[in-house]
Amino acid sequence: MAVNLTFCGGVRTVTGSMHLLEVDGQNIIIDAGLFQGHREDYYKINSYFGFNPHQVDAAVISHSHIDHCGNLPNLIKSGFKKKIFLTQPTKDLCRLMLLDSAHIQEEDIKFVNKINERKGLPPRRPLYTTEDANKAFKNMRAVAYKKKFKLTEDVNCTFYNSGHVLGSVVPFFEAKGIKIAYAVDLGRKDIPLLRDPDILSDVDYLIIESTYGGRGHEPVKEAKSKLTDAINRTVARNGKIIIPSFALERTQEVVYYLGRLIKEKKIKPLPIYVDSPLACNITDVFVESKEYLDSVTKAMMTRNSDPFGLNSIHYIRETEESKRLNFIKEPMIIISTSGMCEAGRILHHLRNNIEDERNTILVVGYMAKNTLGKHLVEKRRRVKIFGEPFQLRAEVEVINSFSAHADKDDLVEYVRATGGSLKKVFIVHGDMDQSEALAENLRNNNFRAHIPKKYETVELV
């Protein structure tokens, strides 16, 4: 009997999660995330799996963020033919996220090939196409929370709520008497819309994220007060509030808060626009997935209290309607993607509003190094948008308490609550400084913690 775990991606970094569980020759993939980075690394890393896709017997997807599901079409194109297990909301969201990812790649490669043609270089192909993404959906099988199901002859799995995004799970594997839990990614308590993470017990091995392994979050309740102050300051000077936001979860969370603030009369009613076709479609999935939301949100929907502002917020899909926002002069709130300001309609809104000191750019999500979003957080005097320099005259307000990731205290508390039977904790999905901080903290709490290297294989006994 042999139970081995190989860490194929998403270790010592926060992107491209992918792991291989081997049980007596039966191979299971846990997540199939897309590595996001510079173009050459992107193609090289995402094209090599560290295993033979033809020999994989099943795949389990924890949630619908691209760094956890985004390489599925490429995995299938490379030979994987078996079933992909996930929850119904994750299945619905994966359809939207993968098609969007494929479309972005197809458009990006057109631009690259124009440059390559001028240089006399051969044309390149996208990592995968819309056609490849569509093939992935045929293999997907939806499973409910807390329902044990069989992955292979010797491996059972049960999905528990991770509280990270809609439909996200902690998969719990039982293989030859060994019990393994995969808490990547893990959510927080008391965030709106979602239920708190389920606590597992009787776990032998725990794989856990470390995105904020050495950092704490502001209390969630502070988000409302900071949001209130920023909006009221901007409206008082007759400005616009521009909110770069991730289409999945963050947009819906911000909309929820804005609705509460208007209802509680903490801000005056003003036009609110969600300018992102993807965010609009994702919001539709939230509305259709009532049973996966928390009790407060479900009660609001039962009372027709409209937690997603469908009757009061302008959801924009068409490009022309998006462009018309540039000619409206009165105060408004524009929520637009992408979250790190690297692509999408948010760039047009920033270009048209960044040099007006009446306006506010409200940052509500993580901004990676070397992105336009990070430059805004750093309040650089000059930034480039579409290659052109702009003066940053708008106010920049950063609200960190929106994060959907567990922080250092949440992570340690989760490990403690999992029980005293843990043999080892494997720390993944974090920059090295954050992984090391969590490992030290866990060791100080008498847990055996290990930060694996990429392609490292460990035997579970």
Side-chain angles (χ1 to χ4, degrees):
M1 182 195 83
V3 179
N4 293 326
L5 184 62
T6 302
F7 301 91
C8 302
V11 290
R12 304 183 178 216
T13 183
V14 293
T15 186
S17 290
M18 187 181 298
H19 310 282
L20 176 66
L21 179 64
E22 302 171 89
V23 182
D24 283 352
Q26 302 156 58
N27 300 314
I28 297 159
I29 289 300
I30 311 171
D31 276 346
L34 202 63
F35 174 87
Q36 297 157 302
H38 294 297
R39 184 171 282 112
E40 293 305 317
D41 289 338
Y42 174 88
Y43 283 100
K44 180 180 178 181
I45 292 172
N46 287 316
S47 297
Y48 180 73
F49 303 108
F51 55 85
N52 185 345
H54 287 277
Q55 297 175 353
V56 175
D57 299 295
V60 170
I61 300 299
S62 65
H63 65 285
S64 54
H65 279 148
I66 285 296
D67 59 332
H68 292 263
C69 74
N71 215 11
L72 274 174
N74 193 35
L75 188 69
I76 291 170
K77 189 172 74 168
S78 302
F80 172 67
K81 304 294 184 186
K82 301 299 178 65
K83 293 178 182 178
I84 303 162
F85 295 92
L86 65 185
T87 63
Q88 186 63 52
T90 300
K91 181 181 178 181
D92 295 338
L93 292 169
C94 275
R95 176 179 290 276
L96 299 174
M97 300 295 282
L98 294 179
L99 288 174
D100 184 68
S101 174
H103 175 71
I104 289 171
Q105 291 180 56
E106 289 169 336
E107 292 302 308
D108 181 66
I109 213 70
K110 289 179 185 177
F111 176 75
V112 171
N113 284 337
K114 284 181 181 178
I115 296 173
N116 285 349
E117 185 178 9
R118 290 198 296 266
K119 294 180 178 179
L121 298 174
R124 302 185 67 163
R125 291 180 55 81
L127 190 66
Y128 57 81
T129 64
T130 300
E131 182 181 355
D132 296 323
N134 276 313
K135 290 178 182 177
F137 311 135
K138 299 176 183 177
N139 296 40
M140 293 181 178
R141 300 293 182 272
V143 182
Y145 287 147
K146 299 183 180 180
K147 179 182 179 181
K148 185 182 290 191
F149 60 98
K150 188 173 285 292
L151 285 170
T152 66
E153 180 182 350
D154 294 319
V155 184
N156 291 321
C157 184
T158 307
F159 285 163
Y160 293 91
N161 173 37
S162 77
H164 176 58
V165 296
L166 182 69
S168 61
V169 300
V170 174
F172 178 69
F173 303 94
E174 298 172 272
K176 298 283 189 177
I178 297 172
K179 298 173 182 179
I180 307 149
Y182 179 77
V184 184
D185 291 330
L186 189 66
R188 305 168 64 189
K189 294 180 180 178
D190 301 322
I191 61 173
L193 306 181
L194 301 179
R195 307 181 212 167
D196 290 350
D198 290 331
I199 302 298
L200 281 67
S201 60
D202 193 22
V203 176
D204 297 314
Y205 295 96
L206 175 64
I207 309 161
I208 197 165
E209 68 147 309
S210 56
T211 311
Y212 291 90
R215 292 176 289 191
H217 294 315
E218 299 170 346
V220 176
K221 62 183 180 181
E222 290 191 14
K224 281 181 70 175
S225 60
K226 285 194 171 185
L227 191 58
T228 301
D229 292 343
I231 292 170
N232 287 336
R233 279 200 312 273
T234 309
V235 171
R237 57 180 183 251
N238 206 38
K240 298 179 181 179
I241 299 96
I242 311 297
I243 306 179
S245 181
F246 298 108
L248 173 57
E249 202 71 43
R250 191 56 42 83
T251 291
Q252 293 75 33
E253 196 175 348
V254 171
V255 163
Y256 173 87
Y257 273 123
L258 292 174
R260 301 306 299 165
L261 292 178
I262 291 172
K263 187 171 183 178
E264 295 166 8
K265 298 184 178 180
K266 292 182 178 179
I267 62 173
K268 294 180 180 179
L270 74 166
I272 301 171
Y273 299 89
V274 173
D275 188 15
S276 162
L278 179 59
C280 294
N281 293 333
I282 287 172
T283 302
D284 290 342
V285 176
F286 272 74
V287 174
E288 295 162 3
S289 304
K290 178 179 174 181
E291 67 273 22
Y292 286 84
L293 301 173
D294 66 13
S295 58
V296 174
T297 309
K298 284 193 287 187
M300 290 177 67
M301 294 174 73
T302 301
R303 299 193 305 267
N304 294 318
S305 294
D306 197 21
F308 303 109
L310 300 179
N311 298 320
S312 57
I313 291 174
H314 306 277
Y315 282 84
I316 296 177
R317 286 183 165 87
E318 301 301 324
T319 303
E320 289 306 313
E321 190 177 358
S322 173
K323 290 179 179 178
R324 284 197 288 270
L325 298 181
N326 297 324
F327 302 99
I328 303 174
K329 301 303 181 184
E330 71 257 23
M332 67 174 69
I333 298 173
I334 301 173
I335 306 166
S336 188
T337 55
S338 71
M340 295 189 191
C341 308
E342 284 296 287
R345 294 181 181 180
I346 188 63
L347 292 175
H348 298 277
H349 295 302
L350 289 173
R351 183 180 63 180
N352 283 284
N353 293 283
I354 197 170
E355 294 189 328
D356 190 334
E357 60 190 13
R358 295 174 300 173
N359 299 332
T360 295
I361 301 166
L362 190 58
V363 176
V364 295
Y366 177 77
M367 298 295 182
K369 293 179 181 179
N370 301 318
T371 62
L372 173 57
K374 187 66 171 179
H375 296 164
L376 295 174
V377 170
E378 294 168 344
K379 300 182 181 180
R380 297 191 182 186
R381 292 183 179 180
R382 291 168 66 87
V383 297
K384 284 190 175 182
I385 304 174
F386 296 121
E388 298 179 1
F390 288 83
Q391 293 286 339
L392 175 57
R393 295 193 178 98
E395 177 186 352
V396 176
E397 175 72 27
V398 180
I399 304 178
N400 291 318
S401 45
F402 277 108
S403 178
H405 284 273
D407 70 5
K408 61 177 185 176
D409 294 331
D410 297 324
L411 292 168
V412 173
E413 181 183 344
Y414 187 86
V415 175
R416 279 204 198 102
T418 299
S421 62
L422 278 174
K423 297 178 180 179
K424 187 173 283 190
V425 180
F426 298 105
I427 299 173
V428 301
H429 199 285
D431 291 327
M432 197 56 187
D433 62 326
Q434 298 301 303
S435 295
E436 288 176 335
L438 179 59
E440 182 180 3
N441 202 342
L442 290 176
R443 289 167 188 149
N444 290 338
N445 282 274
N446 300 316
F447 291 100
R448 293 181 64 202
H450 176 62
I451 307 170
K453 296 177 181 178
K454 192 170 184 180
Y455 301 124
E456 178 181 343
T457 298
V458 297
E459 184 177 2
L460 308 182
V461 295

